[in-house]
Amino acid sequence: MKIAQIAPLAESVPPKLYGGTERIVSYLTEELVRQGHDVTLFASGDSLTAAELVPITPMALRLNGKVVDPIPYHMMLLEAVMRRADTFDALHFHIDILHMPMVRDCLERTVTTLHGRLDLPDLPAFYRTFPHHPLVSISDHQRLPMPPVNWARTIHHGLPADLLPPSWGPGEGYLAFLGRISPEKRPDRAIRIAARSGLPLRIAAKIDNVDRAYWEKEIAPLVERYPNVRFIGEINERQKAQFLGQARALVFPIDWPEPFGLVMIEAMACATPVIAFRCGSVPEIIEHGVSGFIVESEDEAVAAVARLDDLDRRRVRAAFDARFTAQRMASDYISLYRGLPGARMETPPLWRPRGEEAGLQIVA
Amino acid sequence: MKIAQIAPLAESVPPKLYGGTERIVSYLTEELVRQGHDVTLFASGDSLTAAELVPITPMALRLNGKVVDPIPYHMMLLEAVMRRADTFDALHFHIDILHMPMVRDCLERTVTTLHGRLDLPDLPAFYRTFPHHPLVSISDHQRLPMPPVNWARTIHHGLPADLLPPSWGPGEGYLAFLGRISPEKRPDRAIRIAARSGLPLRIAAKIDNVDRAYWEKEIAPLVERYPNVRFIGEINERQKAQFLGQARALVFPIDWPEPFGLVMIEAMACATPVIAFRCGSVPEIIEHGVSGFIVESEDEAVAAVARLDDLDRRRVRAAFDARFTAQRMASDYISLYRGLPGARMETPPLWRPRGEEAGLQIVA
């Protein structure tokens, strides 16, 4: 198929820094190319891809200190897409909402994956205006706050199978916390769970400016109080395999409706089980007793740590291989594209310059 | 003609608070209706108009404390416009940039008035992407920072002729400053000019939160130091006629490229001359020696105050009547709409439901 992937411009595809959406667009795009599809990626010009790249800006917006307002650049992105919209069998948008009034004429070949949280005050009225737009949720739970819309499917994210190799051994035996230091990620819970379990905890996390006060007032004092807790700062993609693979378990004590939670499947790829609080997508990702434990309190989490020996790291990785590879994700999307009412399977129709429609029209 | 006016949603049309764009959309819309045109106004639901109102939100976004992000509502606005785009002879957008990738199919019936400053870092790349979109500048000077685009015309703003009645008498003899307290409006200059001229100064201005520190550190001390200066806070539309009409002159000592500067023509409507610094649109609005004086320094401004008796208030109002009424503005826009390459003068074509084009197509 000839497929357009339309990425946000905040980060390159794949991202140089944090950027969950752009990472998934990259994994999906490269896997679609690998499966033989003709993919065009609309993204920032510093993106790296085996697909055809349509560069909208020279560099990702978040890295460009001169950028004040990201909206004009996303309008440029949409103009580039609309100029070529006729040439695609399917158009796949990853930019949330900006394109929706624009795709009326190609709606039957269009799908949008919603990457963010949907429980925001301005969204219900918006989505009620677009009840026919085919939407993909990244977990079933993500859908809960939404008014009736045209859900096409839930498609869970996936990672390239060889991105994070499994570690079969016992590793260094610590608990791992990976993500952002922020109140809804609850690093405080992770620290208390580790302290009560008597296991070391390593925290690999970035601290956004908005969370600086939370770090200094709430978390840094806890890190200092407990000698078994180590804060190692932000780690890059290459360090992840080591950090997660050497851990006894990933602790994922979230307190917000996480729409997906990539770090859970990253741990699973490393064969590392996950102790996760029942929240958001967690019950859809973790198989309780197989790839980890789902808990509802710190007491239950401490009990789960004590039962980690019940889990088999090979079965954790097998759970990843069965459900969370980029190959599975891409196959799901291809089957979705093929089922779109306007999806075209064959050669695109003869291109017609604007204004010549009448002369070429086949009359019914 | 059947005309769509598409307003921003920040304020109602007309605005209940500050909102220059929404005020102009209101003046234009009501005058077009008065001239017999069939106008549809897309705006917030608390707007008041003689046109057909398509309400997008129950109330203006700025008045609604629950609104976090204005973008989804503007996408709803665009969806409402696009659903009916085929029915209009001309579509007139006042929302800057959000619609531009969307109007490809009706570009020849579309015009956009740019209401804001254009010397912003993100705009040149954006406008280079839309070189064919017909644009209206609100002053010639506003165009300076722009790359080559499709300028249709400059159309200066206008006010209803009876909005602010002229005051022919000498009034109370003070100098007036009307607007926002902010560094680029230079109220400090106004205060020094009044002090050196020995005339009273009345400052009617709102203080935005962002300018609170500037007010407290720079301006409030000056107001206290000079006994001839009075700060009277924000005034409403009804108080303007009195405030401007009783003034000897409006002082407009700006230090930024003001794209238009409505307050200048408001003063002129009241028959009050304007002493303005040569900046932005000023030389296009003020006729030096007729409707006021254009100056380049505080010295020149003080000299201009001394020469105010040379000006005839009847000629100030005549300058307003000749160039700055809503009637003139609406006539300019009608002539522009009529000259658009795709403007339709007659009955709109038979409406065709989507998908039935082929059956109804007349083959060339």
Side-chain angles (χ1 to χ4, degrees):
Chain A
M1 296 183 82
K2 187 156 170 52
I3 303 160
Q5 294 291 336
I6 299 106
L9 303 172
E11 273 290 348
S12 59
V13 176
K16 293 181 182 58
L17 302 175
Y18 188 83
T21 301
E22 291 87 348
R23 272 177 66 202
I24 293 301
V25 175
S26 176
Y27 298 153
L28 174 60
T29 297
E30 302 315 303
E31 177 62 22
L32 290 172
V33 171
R34 202 191 62 77
Q35 293 184 11
H37 296 285
D38 179 359
V39 186
T40 302
L41 173 64
F42 295 82
S44 72
D46 49 353
S47 297
L48 295 170
T49 181
E52 182 197 349
L53 176 66
V54 177
I56 307 300
T57 53
M59 64 192 290
L61 301 185
R62 201 180 290 164
L63 301 181
N64 185 343
K66 291 183 190 153
V67 168
V68 177
D69 181 2
I71 296 290
Y73 303 98
H74 286 87
M75 294 294 118
M76 293 160 60
L77 166 70
L78 289 170
E79 175 71 7
V81 173
M82 295 321 289
R83 278 182 191 162
R84 301 175 57 163
D86 284 351
T87 68
F88 297 111
D89 301 326
L91 294 96
H92 187 173
F93 288 88
H94 300 270
I95 57 171
D96 291 337
I97 68 168
L98 287 172
H99 57 294
M100 289 203 187
M102 223 160 298
V103 293
R104 298 171 58 76
D105 291 341
C106 53
L107 189 60
E108 303 201 320
R109 291 178 286 128
T110 294
V111 65
T112 298
T113 295
L114 299 178
H115 287 265
R117 61 192 296 180
L118 300 175
D119 57 337
L120 303 176
D122 305 307
L123 293 184
F126 172 82
Y127 281 108
R128 271 194 290 272
T129 307
F130 296 93
H132 305 302
H133 196 107
L135 301 177
V136 170
S137 44
I138 58 175
S139 66
D140 290 337
H141 189 275
Q142 185 197 26
R143 299 183 180 188
L144 287 186
M146 289 278 276
V149 292
N150 179 16
W151 289 116
R153 270 185 88 159
T154 289
I155 298 184
H156 289 137
H157 289 335
L159 309 177
D162 55 0
L163 183 74
L164 297 166
S167 295
W168 303 128
E172 301 181 30
Y174 54 84
L175 299 177
F177 178 98
L178 175 58
R180 281 183 295 115
I181 296 291
S182 73
E184 71 269 21
K185 298 281 190 181
R186 296 301 298 266
D188 59 316
R189 279 182 177 165
I191 292 170
R192 284 192 298 269
I193 291 163
R196 291 174 57 187
S197 302
L199 285 186
L201 173 70
R202 294 195 193 163
I203 300 177
K206 69 168 187 157
I207 306 170
D208 289 335
N209 281 336
V210 64
D211 294 315
R212 180 60 57 183
Y214 172 70
W215 162 254
E216 280 165 11
K217 288 203 184 119
E218 308 281 336
I219 302 306
L222 286 180
V223 171
E224 281 183 32
R225 183 184 315 161
Y226 295 106
N228 64 319
V229 177
R230 241 173 78 194
F231 178 72
I232 63 174
E234 195 170 354
I235 61 174
N236 62 31
E237 291 296 306
R238 282 183 301 279
Q239 296 167 306
K240 262 186 197 170
Q242 175 81 7
F243 177 74
L244 289 171
Q246 293 302 309
R248 189 77 191 288
L250 175 79
V251 187
F252 194 64
I254 53 163
D255 201 6
W256 75 296
E258 180 93 42
F260 185 78
L262 268 179
V263 67
M264 289 189 282
I265 65 172
E266 289 173 333
M268 289 165 63
C270 298
T272 299
V274 181
I275 297 173
F277 275 57
R278 183 181 298 282
C279 208
S281 64
V282 162
E284 298 171 52
I285 312 296
I286 301 301
E287 292 169 67
H288 185 74
V290 177
S291 49
F293 294 114
I294 300 173
V295 301
E296 303 197 359
S297 67
E298 291 179 25
D299 285 345
E300 286 187 28
V302 172
V305 172
R307 290 174 51 211
L308 279 171
D309 277 342
D310 296 356
L311 302 179
D312 176 352
R313 290 182 75 100
R314 289 188 185 270
R315 291 187 68 199
V316 176
R317 171 72 195 201
F320 168 83
D321 286 328
R323 296 177 59 219
F324 296 111
T325 63
Q327 190 173 351
R328 188 277 310 152
M329 171 172 69
S331 301
D332 282 354
Y333 275 113
I334 284 293
S335 118
L336 171 62
Y337 303 153
R338 291 203 165 120
L340 290 173
R344 297 183 304 218
M345 301 302 145
E346 312 302 330
T347 321
L350 186 61
W351 180 80
R352 298 170 306 192
R354 197 168 297 279
E356 297 184 16
E357 284 88 341
L360 290 163
Q361 187 82 49
I362 295 164
V363 179
Chain B
M1 297 183 83
K2 186 155 170 53
I3 303 160
Q5 294 291 337
I6 298 106
L9 303 172
E11 273 290 348
S12 59
V13 176
K16 293 182 181 57
L17 302 174
Y18 188 83
T21 301
E22 291 87 348
R23 273 178 66 201
I24 293 301
V25 175
S26 176
Y27 299 153
L28 174 60
T29 297
E30 302 315 304
E31 177 62 21
L32 290 172
V33 171
R34 202 191 63 77
Q35 293 184 12
H37 296 285
D38 178 0
V39 185
T40 302
L41 173 64
F42 295 82
S44 72
D46 49 352
S47 297
L48 295 170
T49 181
E52 182 196 350
L53 176 65
V54 177
I56 307 300
T57 53
M59 64 192 290
L61 301 186
R62 201 181 289 164
L63 301 181
N64 184 342
K66 291 182 190 153
V67 168
V68 177
D69 181 2
I71 296 289
Y73 303 98
H74 286 87
M75 294 294 119
M76 292 160 61
L77 166 70
L78 289 170
E79 176 71 6
V81 173
M82 295 321 289
R83 278 182 192 162
R84 300 175 58 162
D86 284 352
T87 68
F88 298 111
D89 301 327
L91 294 96
H92 188 173
F93 288 88
H94 300 269
I95 57 171
D96 290 336
I97 68 168
L98 287 172
H99 57 295
M100 290 204 187
M102 223 159 298
V103 293
R104 297 171 58 75
D105 291 342
C106 53
L107 189 61
E108 303 201 319
R109 290 178 286 127
T110 294
V111 65
T112 298
T113 295
L114 299 179
H115 287 264
R117 62 192 294 179
L118 300 175
D119 57 338
L120 303 176
D122 305 307
L123 293 184
F126 172 82
Y127 282 109
R128 270 194 290 271
T129 307
F130 296 93
H132 305 303
H133 196 106
L135 300 178
V136 170
S137 44
I138 58 176
S139 66
D140 291 337
H141 189 275
Q142 185 197 28
R143 299 183 180 188
L144 287 186
M146 289 279 276
V149 292
N150 180 16
W151 290 116
R153 270 186 87 160
T154 289
I155 298 183
H156 289 137
H157 289 335
L159 309 176
D162 54 0
L163 182 74
L164 296 166
S167 296
W168 304 129
E172 300 181 30
Y174 54 84
L175 299 177
F177 178 97
L178 175 58
R180 282 182 295 115
I181 296 291
S182 72
E184 71 269 20
K185 299 280 189 181
R186 296 301 298 267
D188 59 315
R189 278 182 177 164
I191 291 171
R192 284 192 298 269
I193 292 163
R196 290 174 57 187
S197 303
L199 285 186
L201 173 70
R202 294 195 193 163
I203 300 177
K206 69 167 188 158
I207 306 171
D208 289 334
N209 282 336
V210 64
D211 294 315
R212 180 59 58 181
Y214 172 70
W215 162 254
E216 280 166 11
K217 288 203 184 119
E218 308 281 336
I219 302 306
L222 286 180
V223 171
E224 281 183 32
R225 183 184 316 161
Y226 294 105
N228 63 319
V229 177
R230 241 172 77 195
F231 178 72
I232 63 174
E234 195 170 355
I235 61 174
N236 62 30
E237 291 296 307
R238 283 183 300 279
Q239 296 167 305
K240 263 187 197 170
Q242 174 81 7
F243 178 74
L244 289 171
Q246 293 302 309
R248 189 78 191 287
L250 175 78
V251 187
F252 193 64
I254 52 162
D255 201 6
W256 75 297
E258 180 93 42
F260 185 78
L262 269 179
V263 67
M264 290 189 282
I265 65 171
E266 289 173 334
M268 289 164 64
C270 298
T272 299
V274 181
I275 297 173
F277 275 58
R278 184 182 297 282
C279 208
S281 64
V282 162
E284 298 171 51
I285 313 297
I286 301 300
E287 292 169 67
H288 186 74
V290 176
S291 49
F293 294 114
I294 300 173
V295 301
E296 302 196 0
S297 67
E298 290 179 25
D299 286 345
E300 286 187 27
V302 172
V305 172
R307 290 174 52 211
L308 280 172
D309 277 342
D310 297 356
L311 302 179
D312 176 352
R313 292 183 74 100
R314 289 188 185 271
R315 291 188 67 198
V316 176
R317 171 72 195 200
F320 167 82
D321 286 328
R323 296 177 58 220
F324 297 111
T325 63
Q327 189 173 352
R328 188 276 310 152
M329 170 172 69
S331 300
D332 282 354
Y333 275 113
I334 284 292
S335 118
L336 171 62
Y337 304 153
R338 290 204 165 119
L340 290 173
R344 297 184 304 217
M345 301 302 145
E346 312 301 330
T347 322
L350 186 61
W351 180 81
R352 297 170 306 193
R354 196 168 297 280
E356 297 184 16
E357 283 88 343
L360 290 163
Q361 187 81 51
I362 295 164
V363 179

